[in-house]
Amino acid sequence: MQVMKAAKQIMRFSGNMHQWGDGYPSEAVIFRDMEKQGGFVIEEAGRIVGYFAFLPSPESTYSKIYNGEWLYDVKPYHVIHRIASYPDVYGIFSDIMDFCFSRDANIRIDTHKDNLIMQHNIEKHGFTYCGIIFLASGDERLAYQKNNIDKPHTNGLSGLFQCEQ
């Protein structure tokens, strides 16, 4: 959970004061990712430096999108959630994208409107802004999708491990 705390500090320092509040993501959320075999940590030299969830569709909060539409709404997809890393570790987002696109070509991701760092990374990696979704809590998120069906990727993550309970 230390990597989650570090990610929250990065958010607050960059002006994102509202995302991941009230104890989110909790240990229970991370354990649910693991139960679904979708929780992953990234290690460098034996140290956990990152975490993300990579979960198969359907994602209930993605069933309705506002002010836009999904690029490919009929195909199965995976969702990336809860990307976290330490501020002194670089390239995590790119490594996560390589890993995820080596497993599915159709991926969706969302972020808070104040998370400019995540928006930059999402757009830098070729995702298309599709509209707004609402979480179960009612919080608004910017939703993106990318389909790499014609572009195979290789997994560049040597220190990636699926979380186990």
Side-chain angles (χ1 to χ4, degrees), residues 59-62 133-141:
E59 168 70 36
S60 62
T61 59
Y62 287 5
I133 58 107
F134 290 92
L135 305 179
S137 65
D139 291 345
E140 178 181 299
R141 294 291 184 265

Side-chain angles (χ1 to χ4, degrees), residues 7-53:
K8 286 182 191 184
Q9 290 173 342
I10 293 168
M11 288 181 200
R12 302 305 176 258
F13 184 75
S14 68
N16 181 0
M17 308 308 262
H18 305 288
Q19 188 176 7
W20 286 16
D22 300 324
Y24 183 88
S26 66
E27 287 186 17
V29 169
I30 302 305
F31 283 135
R32 276 196 302 276
D33 292 344
M34 289 186 244
E35 287 171 356
K36 297 175 184 176
Q37 298 183 351
F40 295 88
V41 295
I42 302 163
E43 283 189 359
E44 281 184 3
R47 172 184 169 220
I48 293 175
V49 297
Y51 176 85
F52 66 99

Side-chain angles (χ1 to χ4, degrees), residues 25-154:
S26 66
E27 287 186 17
V29 169
I30 302 305
F31 283 135
R32 276 196 302 276
D33 292 344
M34 289 186 244
E35 287 171 356
K36 297 175 184 176
Q37 298 183 351
F40 295 88
V41 295
I42 302 163
E43 283 189 359
E44 281 184 3
R47 172 184 169 220
I48 293 175
V49 297
Y51 176 85
F52 66 99
F54 184 60
L55 303 166
S57 59
E59 168 70 36
S60 62
T61 59
Y62 287 5
S63 63
K64 183 109 172 121
I65 189 165
Y66 300 86
N67 300 330
E69 62 186 8
W70 294 113
L71 300 176
Y72 305 97
D73 202 23
V74 294
K75 295 182 181 185
Y77 58 90
H78 269 78
V79 178
I80 302 170
H81 285 309
R82 293 175 277 291
I83 295 175
S85 68
Y86 289 98
D88 61 333
V89 179
Y90 302 98
I92 294 289
F93 192 92
S94 292
D95 288 342
I96 291 170
M97 293 304 110
D98 287 345
F99 173 82
C100 293
F101 279 107
S102 74
R103 282 148 179 78
D104 193 342
N106 190 17
I107 296 179
R108 296 179 183 181
I109 190 169
D110 66 81
T111 193
H112 193 279
K113 65 182 178 181
D114 293 338
N115 195 337
L116 302 180
I117 295 171
M118 187 60 66
Q119 290 174 48
H120 169 78
N121 276 303
I122 290 169
E123 292 168 4
K124 176 182 169 184
H125 285 83
F127 282 81
T128 300
Y129 172 76
C130 294
I132 296 171
I133 58 107
F134 290 92
L135 305 179
S137 65
D139 291 345
E140 178 181 299
R141 294 291 184 265
L142 307 177
Y144 299 81
Q145 185 174 21
K146 182 176 178 180
N147 190 312
N148 265 357
I149 200 121
D150 298 324
K151 299 176 186 175
H153 283 257
T154 59

